[in-house]
Amino acid sequence: MYQQALKAEKTHHYITEKKLLKKVLRQFPNNFEAGVHYLIAAVRSNDFAEIDSLLTVMADKTTNNKKLIEEANSAMEILDYYNLKDPDFAASISEIAEEDPEYDQQLTAYYDTHREDVCALFMLGKSAFNRRNYAKADSLFNRLATFKPDFHLAFLWLANTYIEEKKYDGSIKLCERVLEQNAESHHALAIIAKTMLKQQRDKEALQKAMAAYELNPDSEPSIYTLAMANHFNNRPKERDQLFAKMKTLPDADTTTIAEMTNIFSGKISYR
């Protein structure tokens, strides 16, 4: 089973790897190398929920496998992309609502003097996207994708930006690049499905959306996209079941819920 997990890691099937390693770690909880590989898989698949506890468990353990430690350190560097380098600025910006113009102004001023801060650039891109300044978001996320080609989430935000700009082929190509590095990225599959719906490739979109949902049936992108794909494939029963599930998510976005309601009722057009 351990060797199967290592094979899954080599082919970037990190969800499969985690499932296999969980079984290994239940039998051998002190297997440090299995724990390190699980940590790598968690980071590479953007699953950060268990990382702190994993680090705590492994803190007093060591290994002579230098290559494995190098791989783990390389994976852990990705975590830095999600944290501003200046903790004082991080605390102050967190107190400003993202829709407040001051949020963007302060973030821009900070980034001008902290060009090495990956998180700041990512936050600026998200801010531009949420303000529907897609040209600016495109530029910022492209800069980030060039600067940090292993920052999958930046590629996915850029792919969504391309959808808004009607650069559909570009969106799919970006997601395919993510899938080359993370073959079981439900988020990338969901965005491909979303893009295909825009292109009216509804049957293909349904297949991609189903694949995304199978990988992560509790994620908002997976549920949203499969509900939309069912809608455009004239499957109202399946659509409504997923829409009901969407509403029960603890962090359900009311704006997204309203959008879906209006699309399903025909009040607004999705494409």
Side-chain angles (χ1 to χ4, degrees), residues 210-222:
M210 284 178 169
Y213 186 81
E214 185 177 349
L215 286 168
N216 193 334
D218 297 316
S219 110
E220 182 176 311
S222 295

Side-chain angles (χ1 to χ4, degrees), residues 202-262:
D202 296 338
K203 290 183 179 179
E204 294 173 85
L206 181 60
Q207 294 303 312
K208 292 292 185 182
M210 284 178 169
Y213 186 81
E214 185 177 349
L215 286 168
N216 193 334
D218 297 316
S219 110
E220 182 176 311
S222 295
I223 299 169
Y224 169 87
T225 312
L226 186 52
M228 294 292 287
N230 277 312
H231 174 71
F232 287 107
N233 279 277
N234 195 27
R235 292 158 53 102
K237 180 181 177 181
E238 293 84 351
R239 175 201 68 194
D240 292 344
Q241 288 174 342
L242 287 159
F243 191 32
K245 182 176 181 178
M246 184 88 170
K247 294 175 183 177
T248 67
L249 294 178
D251 55 351
D253 186 340
T254 54
T255 302
T256 302
I257 297 294
E259 176 202 31
M260 294 173 76
T261 301
N262 289 329

Side-chain angles (χ1 to χ4, degrees), residues 8-15 41 43-47 78 82 122 141 144-146 148-160 162 169-192 195 208 212 215:
E9 183 174 302
K10 286 181 179 178
T11 57
H12 313 299
H13 287 76
Y14 298 115
I15 291 177
V43 174
R44 296 292 183 188
S45 61
N46 297 325
D47 180 10
I78 295 173
Y82 296 87
F122 180 57
F141 287 133
L144 188 50
T146 303
K148 292 293 181 182
D150 58 347
F151 192 4
H152 299 165
L153 197 56
F155 279 85
L156 297 174
W157 274 81
L158 180 56
N160 271 322
Y162 280 176
D169 290 341
S171 177
I172 291 174
K173 286 178 182 177
L174 281 171
C175 292
E176 288 173 344
R177 285 183 63 183
V178 171
L179 289 166
E180 287 174 3
Q181 299 181 55
N182 178 9
E184 295 176 311
S185 171
H186 74 278
H187 205 162
L189 288 167
I191 294 175
I192 290 175
T195 309
K208 292 292 185 182
L215 286 168

Side-chain angles (χ1 to χ4, degrees), residues 27-41:
Q27 291 182 306
F28 308 102
N30 293 319
N31 187 323
F32 180 73
E33 293 198 358
V36 174
H37 279 291
Y38 190 94
L39 181 66
I40 292 170

